[in-house]
């Protein structure tokens, strides 16, 4: 087994053995104690910084469930993103430690990697026990924690870094097994496993989870890790999970949701689910080529999940009864009925209020020729709602020339005793109808003069340029397709396309169900909403043409009791149980969010106005939860 190092690490000949020496000493390294492996590295000495500098403070706050740092995320102390693949941000680890632990708490890092968790625990006076199965990662982490301590630091919090298998913590065959013998002995768990086989971290280490390419095999091995995490974690304490997704045969593999489901089934409850925007990935260049050649979206997001340990007898799997996955003709929507008649006849608290069949507007370019990621941002519009703009871009990207697409609008029935909306619901998506919405903080209307142009002539010139561009977009002579296009011109073009009998002879290539804002939901709506989507899925699988696409928009909901319902994960599971991957298979997974939620450098201008993350251990109030601002769009392709 070759010790794993990246190109940047191997460039330093003073601290890293040569490739020839590494190859020759492979067996020797595996038989040597860990201290001998780590001895190739010199201690770091005094660091330039022992925490975030003033210029880095703007990257620390997490105000909503969408976390985006424009540019390359800064790092401090001995953190680095260049010497090991797949490291997560120290900002993420610091927030988890400040929010869910206290000084002196014991923290387990079961996929230590280069030591990000151990470094932050040491700096924040938490006792970390970090393990990794790769001896090279262990050596690198030991080196990265070998810096000189400052007078205010306590040497007793220097982390314990061990080579061990996270699937069998406490096994006496591994050194330090006594640290994991006592159950419920850790106050927090930091877990950043491989995203299945997205990055291979070794060439042949037995137990390396990145060497399990099959989703079932990966889940089976991760279940062993999850059970040890549950055994070692104290009741009511949290586990922070960082996880991303994968792709196989150009189809989307939802590793993150599958893994979160495993945690829930094994005794954890999902308290928070944050989408982290991924930027400047090392494989970006290769990804831009492949996504155009094979028609898929690049990965530009990953998830940060906060899971709380609960007793096994109180696990809520949030699954529908099996009968609700079967096609029910009594719930079908009939086109000739009026929306009021449909609402009255529907036994559910949700009904189909509108269903329109239109022709797909022709595109002036080949749709797959535009490089797009899995995170789409949208400008706020004073007239067109966020769900309708999402629907417009879905048609623009996934539509097919000389084919039909169908819009299906769902509406929730008002309950007799409608509870107040959760304070964590999105305020920017408060209405589904095309009415003016509340503008997110920091968002400016494109039509407002914000003083960036000097002089009336320049303002008039820019206005004319925008008007000409919108006219070209409306005429279909120009395409604005992209992750952050304006969408309004294309939406108007959608409405102008022929509908009804004129499109009868064209194939049905696309069905879009826009999302409903989570502020409209009560707990009693959720099961009926999922049942309605299941019935739409059955109907779509019968009417779509081969390779036709079904697009379902959903948003996570926090109900009036404070429970988080991850509808993205639940609806995906519902579709898979209802029709199976043989008829409909997940092709793309898109995160949509309105502009205005990314971190900006002027958010925190000095340390005096910076508010550090507060510890919420023992706090069960609803005010500790983040507002849910992101939306999922699940794109399924009909196979049979």
């Amino acid at each position: 087994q070759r010790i794993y190092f990246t190109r940047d690490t191997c460039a330093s000949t003073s601290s890293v053995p040569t490739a020839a020496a590494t190859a020759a000493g492979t067996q020797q390294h595996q038989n040597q104690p860990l201290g001998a492996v780590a001895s190739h590295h010199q201690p770091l000495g005094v660091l330039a910084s022992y925490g975030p500098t003033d210029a880095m403070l703007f990257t620390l706050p997490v105000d909503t469930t969408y976390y985006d740092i424009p540019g390359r995320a800064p790092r401090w102390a001995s953190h680095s993103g260049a010497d090991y693949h797949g490291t997560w941000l120290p900002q993420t680890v610091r927030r988890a430690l400040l929010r869910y632990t206290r000084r002196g708490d014991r923290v387990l890092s079961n996929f230590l990697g280069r030591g990000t968790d151990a470094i932050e625990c040491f700096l924040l006076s938490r006792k970390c026990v970090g393990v990794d199965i790769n001896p090279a990662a262990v050596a690198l982490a030991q080196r990265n924690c070998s810096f000189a301590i400052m007078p205010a630091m306590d040497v007793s919090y220097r982390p314990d870094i061990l080579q061990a298998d996270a699937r069998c913590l406490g096994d006496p065959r591994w050194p330090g097994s006594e640290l994991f013998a006592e159950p419920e002995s850790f106050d927090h768990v930091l877990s950043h496993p491989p995203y299945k086989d997205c990055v291979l971290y070794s060439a042949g280490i037995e137990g390396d989870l990145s060497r399990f390419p099959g989703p079932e095999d990966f889940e089976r091995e991760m279940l062993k890790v999850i059970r040890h995490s549950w055994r070692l974690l104290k009741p009511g304490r949290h586990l922070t999970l960082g996880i991303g997704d994968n792709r196989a045969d150009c189809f989307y593999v939802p590793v993150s949701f599958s893994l979160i489901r495993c945690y829930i089934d094994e005794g954890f409850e999902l308290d928070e689910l944050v989408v982290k925007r991924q930027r400047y990935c090392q494989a970006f260049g290769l990804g831009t080529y492949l996504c155009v050649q094979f028609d898929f979206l690049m990965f530009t997001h990953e998830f940060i999940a906060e899971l709380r340990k609960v007793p096994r007898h109180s696990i809520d799997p949030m699954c529908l009864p099996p009968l609700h996955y079967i096609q029910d003709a009594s719930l079908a929507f009939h086109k000739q009925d009026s929306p009021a008649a449909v609402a009255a006849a529907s036994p559910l608290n949700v009904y189909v209020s509108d269903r329109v069949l239109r022709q797909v507007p022709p595109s002036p370019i080949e749709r797959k020729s535009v490089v797009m990621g899995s995170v789409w941002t949208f400008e706020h519009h004073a007239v067109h709602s966020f769900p309708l703009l999402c629907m417009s871009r879905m048609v623009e990207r996934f539509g097919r020339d000389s084919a039909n697409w169908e819009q299906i609008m769902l509406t929730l029935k008002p309950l007799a005793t409608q509870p107040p909306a959760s304070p964590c619901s999105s305020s920017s998506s408060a209405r589904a109808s095309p009415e003016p919405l509340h503008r997110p903080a920091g968002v400016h209307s494109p039509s407002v003069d914000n003083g960036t142009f000097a002089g009336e002539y320049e303002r008039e010139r820019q206005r004319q340029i925008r008007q000409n561009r919108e006219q070209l977009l409306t005429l279909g002579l120009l395409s604005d397709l992209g992750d952050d296009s304006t969408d309004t011109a294309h939406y108007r073009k959608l409405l102008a396309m022929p509908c009804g009998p004129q499109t009868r002879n064209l194939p049905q290539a696309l069905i879009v169900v826009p999302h409903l804002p989570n502020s409209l939901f009560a707990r009693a709506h959720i099961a009926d909403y999922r049942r309605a989507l299941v019935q739409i899925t059955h109907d779509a699988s019968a009417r779509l043409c081969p390779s036709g696409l079904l697009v379902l928009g959903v948003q996570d909901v926090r109900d009036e009791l404070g429970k988080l319902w991850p509808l993205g994960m639940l609806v995906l599971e519902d579709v898979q149980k209802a029709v199976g991957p043989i008829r409909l298979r997940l092709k793309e997974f898109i995160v949509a969010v309105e502009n205005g939620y990314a971190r900006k450098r002027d958010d925190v201008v000095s340390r005096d106005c910076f508010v550090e993350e507060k510890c919420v251990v023992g706090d069960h109030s609803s005010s500790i939860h983040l507002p849910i601002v992101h939306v999922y769009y699940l794109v399924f392709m009909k196979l049979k």
Side-chain angles (χ1 to χ4, degrees):
Q1 168 58 43
R2 291 178 180 271
I3 293 184
Y4 176 85
F5 289 111
T6 62
R7 180 176 60 254
D8 293 343
T9 306
C10 292
S12 176
T13 56
S14 61
S15 60
V16 180
T18 64
T22 302
T26 294
Q27 188 62 39
Q28 180 182 0
H29 278 307
Q30 293 193 356
N31 295 331
Q32 282 179 341
L34 295 178
V37 179
S39 65
H40 290 294
H41 304 284
Q42 298 298 322
L44 297 180
V46 179
L47 301 177
S49 65
Y50 284 81
T53 64
D54 290 355
M56 303 176 186
L57 293 179
F58 80 98
T59 66
L60 298 180
V62 180
D63 304 323
T64 67
T65 57
Y66 177 69
Y67 181 59
D68 179 15
I69 303 176
R72 188 72 177 175
R75 289 170 169 84
W76 54 87
S78 55
H79 295 300
S80 172
D83 59 356
Y84 201 80
H85 286 294
T87 60
W88 59 352
L89 294 181
Q91 289 88 341
T92 300
V93 178
R94 176 168 285 250
R95 175 182 182 268
L97 293 175
L98 292 175
R99 188 173 175 84
Y100 299 109
T101 66
R102 304 183 183 96
R103 180 185 174 91
D105 280 355
R106 295 187 76 213
V107 178
L108 169 64
S109 174
N110 47 18
F111 296 96
L112 185 60
R114 73 174 307 278
T116 302
D117 302 345
I119 296 168
E120 279 303 295
C121 285
F122 194 11
L123 296 176
L124 295 174
S125 300
R126 275 74 168 167
K127 182 63 175 180
C128 177
V129 179
V131 302
D132 202 288
I133 200 169
N134 192 333
V138 171
L140 190 59
Q142 289 177 333
R143 177 199 180 245
N144 291 333
C145 293
S146 66
F147 50 81
I149 65 173
M150 300 301 288
M153 298 175 63
D154 190 342
V155 70
S156 64
Y157 293 119
R158 190 177 290 279
D160 295 325
I161 299 175
L162 312 167
Q163 183 185 8
D165 190 344
R167 302 172 301 169
C168 50
L169 295 177
D171 191 327
R173 292 176 297 177
W174 294 95
S177 59
E178 65 278 1
L179 295 173
F180 312 107
E182 183 181 355
E184 299 181 355
S185 56
F186 286 88
D187 301 281
H188 193 78
V189 178
L190 295 167
S191 190
H192 191 214
Y195 303 171
K196 204 164 67 68
D197 59 342
C198 188
V199 174
L200 293 178
Y201 286 95
S202 71
I205 294 180
E206 178 66 27
D208 180 3
L209 294 187
S210 68
R211 299 186 54 78
F212 291 90
E216 296 81 7
D217 297 335
F218 179 76
E219 289 180 22
R220 183 187 66 248
E221 300 304 316
M222 274 300 302
L223 275 173
K224 303 173 185 177
V225 178
I226 295 170
R227 288 163 184 159
H228 278 285
S229 299
W230 191 91
R231 177 181 66 86
L232 293 171
L233 187 62
K234 294 180 180 178
R237 302 306 290 266
H238 284 79
L239 178 146
T240 301
L241 172 68
I243 191 65
D245 294 326
N246 211 318
R247 197 177 292 276
D249 301 324
C250 295
F251 285 91
Y252 200 93
V253 181
V255 178
S256 52
F257 284 169
S258 299
L259 206 54
I260 291 174
R261 165 54 66 189
C262 293
Y263 275 95
I264 292 175
D265 291 343
E266 291 298 323
F268 289 90
E269 183 166 328
L270 184 62
D271 270 359
E272 209 79 73
L273 187 59
V274 176
V275 171
K276 175 189 166 294
R277 178 74 178 266
Q278 196 175 31
R279 295 180 181 269
Y280 303 103
C281 176
Q282 295 184 19
F284 179 81
L286 176 62
T288 57
Y289 171 78
L290 294 178
C291 73
V292 171
Q293 292 295 315
F294 299 102
D295 190 17
F296 59 81
L297 305 180
M298 291 181 58
F299 290 114
T300 54
H301 77 278
E302 53 193 358
F303 290 98
I304 307 297
E306 301 294 347
L307 299 125
R308 176 170 44 88
K309 179 180 176 178
V310 297
R312 293 189 185 275
H313 62 80
S314 63
I315 296 174
D316 179 11
M318 299 178 287
C319 297
L320 293 175
L323 289 177
H324 290 173
Y325 296 116
I326 302 174
Q327 188 169 9
D328 189 348
S330 65
L331 301 179
F333 170 72
H334 300 285
K335 184 68 174 65
Q336 63 271 21
D337 295 339
S338 65
V342 174
S346 175
L348 306 180
N349 287 317
V350 59
Y351 62 96
V352 177
S353 58
D354 195 15
R355 197 165 190 165
V356 182
L357 186 68
R358 287 191 174 91
Q359 184 177 346
V360 176
S363 175
I365 63 171
E366 190 176 5
R367 290 179 169 87
K368 74 171 187 178
S369 65
V370 180
V371 177
M372 298 183 68
S374 57
V375 176
W376 294 2
T377 57
F378 293 79
E379 290 288 344
H380 172 81
H381 197 273
V383 176
H384 306 305
S385 68
F386 179 35
L388 295 181
L389 293 180
C390 290
M391 178 191 67
S392 174
R393 197 180 301 179
M394 297 297 158
V395 177
E396 188 175 11
R397 175 59 179 85
F398 299 112
R400 190 185 304 176
D401 291 353
S402 302
N404 287 338
W405 75 280
E406 187 175 18
Q407 168 191 351
I408 301 178
M409 301 296 294
L410 294 177
T411 300
L412 302 177
K413 292 182 181 179
L415 302 178
T417 55
Q418 181 80 16
S422 170
C424 302
S425 299
S426 167
S427 61
S428 64
S429 303
R431 299 180 181 91
S433 57
E435 299 174 359
L437 307 179
H438 296 290
R439 190 185 310 281
V443 178
H444 303 283
S445 172
S447 61
V448 176
D449 178 18
N450 53 14
T452 57
F453 305 119
E456 185 64 30
Y457 170 79
E458 182 63 20
R459 286 194 293 270
E460 177 61 24
R461 190 178 74 87
Q462 293 295 332
R463 186 195 65 79
Q464 189 65 44
I465 290 175
R466 290 194 299 269
Q467 182 178 344
N468 293 342
R469 179 178 176 81
E470 289 183 3
Q471 187 172 3
L472 291 173
L473 290 170
T474 304
L475 294 174
L477 302 176
L478 188 67
S479 176
D480 195 29
L481 183 60
D483 295 341
D484 53 359
S485 56
T486 56
D487 299 293
T488 53
H490 186 267
Y491 179 67
R492 289 194 293 268
K493 188 166 63 172
L494 279 183
L495 300 181
M497 293 301 293
C499 60
Q502 305 177 49
T503 62
R504 189 168 297 167
N505 297 324
L506 298 178
Q508 179 84 26
L510 180 65
I511 296 176
V512 182
V513 184
H515 73 276
L516 293 179
N518 55 17
S519 58
L520 303 176
F521 278 83
R523 191 185 186 101
H525 286 125
I526 295 175
D528 287 351
Y529 177 66
R530 293 168 62 187
R531 288 184 65 187
L533 292 178
V534 166
Q535 297 307 315
I536 290 174
T537 300
H538 280 294
D539 181 59
S541 65
R543 295 193 299 111
L544 284 171
C545 67
S547 300
L549 300 176
L550 169 65
V551 182
L552 301 179
V554 293
Q555 187 172 24
D556 292 343
V557 174
R558 193 175 296 278
D559 64 20
E560 57 272 19
L561 302 179
K563 178 179 176 59
L564 177 64
W565 293 82
L567 285 186
M569 180 189 79
L570 297 178
V571 170
L572 174 59
E573 293 175 346
D574 293 342
V575 172
Q576 292 173 338
K577 292 177 182 178
V579 299
I582 297 179
R583 291 172 61 190
L584 286 176
R585 188 172 177 183
L586 186 65
K587 182 68 172 65
E588 297 294 350
F589 182 96
I590 298 159
V591 176
V593 64
E594 283 193 287
N595 277 335
Y597 297 111
R599 305 303 308 165
K600 300 185 295 295
R601 294 188 180 276
D602 55 356
D603 286 341
V604 180
V605 294
S606 68
R607 197 170 291 272
D608 295 335
C609 62
F610 173 68
V611 179
E612 193 170 58
E613 191 74 42
K614 303 297 183 183
C615 180
V616 299
V617 175
D619 187 354
H620 303 292
S621 63
S622 60
S623 60
I624 67 173
H625 300 303
L626 298 174
I628 301 171
V629 299
H630 66 278
V631 179
Y632 310 114
Y633 275 83
L634 312 175
V635 183
F636 298 92
M637 175 178 284
K638 180 178 179 179
L639 301 182
K640 290 186 179 180

